[in-house]
Amino acid sequence: MTMRPLQMSGKKDAPGEDTSILTKTRSKTQRPPLYKVLLLNDDYTPMEFVVHVLERFFGLSHAQAFEIMLTVHKKGLAVVGVFSFEVAETKVAQVMDFARRHQHPLQCTMEKE
C-alpha cells in the first residue's frame, strides 16, 4: 500500500472519492516520577511527637501513625508515603519546620522511588 501525501487543495481523483490523508500524531504522556518520603529515627524526638506529625501531615489514623512510628523506632527509618516531587518536597519541608519549631531533631527526607 502506498500512501499519498496530504493534499491541501482538497482535489478529488474521481467523483465522490477524496484521497486526502490525515494523520494524527499521539504523544505518549508519561507519569511523573514518584518520591518516597522517609522519616528517620533519632534518640531524642518523643514517640508521641512522631505520631502527631504522621497524623497531622500525612493524614494517618492514630493506629497507622503508631505502627509507622514503631517501624521508625525499630528499623531506623520508614517510608511514610509516596508522592509527586512537589508534594513530597512540601511534606518534607512541613515536617522539618514543625520539628524545628518544637525543638526536636526529627529528620524527614525524600528519595526517588
Side-chain angles (χ1 to χ4, degrees), residues 1-2 6 8 10 13 18 23-24 36 38 42-43 54 56 63 69 72-73 75 84 87 90 94 100 102 105 112:
M1 173 188 225
T2 52
L6 178 64
M8 298 305 286
D13 289 344
D18 188 356
T23 59
K24 187 175 183 181
K36 296 184 282 191
L38 303 144
D42 64 74
D43 294 331
L54 292 168
R56 179 173 178 161
M69 177 275 298
V72 171
H73 181 70
K75 296 189 175 183
S84 68
V87 173
T90 301
Q94 288 174 328
R100 296 302 155 262
H102 288 85
K112 201 168 190 174

Side-chain angles (χ1 to χ4, degrees), residues 47-85:
M47 292 180 177
E48 298 81 22
F49 183 80
V50 175
V51 170
H52 178 68
V53 164
L54 292 168
E55 291 171 344
R56 179 173 178 161
F57 297 107
F58 298 95
L60 300 175
S61 69
H62 187 76
Q64 292 169 319
F66 192 82
E67 283 299 314
I68 290 176
M69 177 275 298
L70 284 179
T71 301
V72 171
H73 181 70
K74 291 175 183 175
K75 296 189 175 183
L77 65 96
V79 175
V80 182
V82 180
F83 309 95
S84 68
F85 178 82

Side-chain angles (χ1 to χ4, degrees), residues 5-11 20-22:
L6 178 64
Q7 294 178 347
M8 298 305 286
S9 64
K11 288 191 284 183
S20 300
I21 298 171
L22 298 174

